[in-house]
Amino acid sequence: MGQLMYDYTKSAIVKVSKNKDLFVKELIRASKTLLPYEKENLINWLFYFTADKPETQKWFWDLLDRNVLVS
């Protein structure tokens, strides 16, 4: 079950990565539903995913600064 939610979250993030409000909303949802090790994997994946997307990377860093994805 957990792997399905993790994969769904990644695909949803890819789809909404151009819209700040939806991106933030999806990451907040992920922080509430994913297990701690899945959150860690998601954060690592997000570093890779946002590497060539400066605007999305900024939104991601803002969420990290607010400890949204921290267990």
Side-chain angles (χ1 to χ4, degrees), residues 27-44 46-47 60-71:
L27 288 181
I28 290 170
R29 180 181 299 144
S31 73
K32 295 177 182 176
T33 59
L34 295 177
L35 298 172
Y37 75 92
E38 291 173 323
K39 288 182 201 176
E40 185 176 327
N41 289 342
L42 183 66
I43 290 169
N44 291 333
L46 280 163
F47 280 118
F60 171 52
W61 279 100
D62 288 344
L63 289 173
L64 284 180
D65 288 343
R66 293 188 323 190
N67 293 323
V68 170
L69 291 174
V70 178
S71 300

Side-chain angles (χ1 to χ4, degrees), residues 9-58:
T9 300
K10 284 185 3 180
S11 67
I13 289 170
V14 169
K15 290 177 186 176
V16 301
S17 64
K18 303 258 190 252
N19 183 311
K20 179 182 180 180
D21 294 331
L22 295 176
F23 181 79
V24 169
K25 183 178 177 181
E26 197 59 46
L27 288 181
I28 290 170
R29 180 181 299 144
S31 73
K32 295 177 182 176
T33 59
L34 295 177
L35 298 172
Y37 75 92
E38 291 173 323
K39 288 182 201 176
E40 185 176 327
N41 289 342
L42 183 66
I43 290 169
N44 291 333
W45 176 80
L46 280 163
F47 280 118
Y48 169 77
F49 176 70
T50 62
D52 61 344
K53 300 169 183 62
E55 191 67 24
T56 308
Q57 190 175 47
K58 180 182 178 295

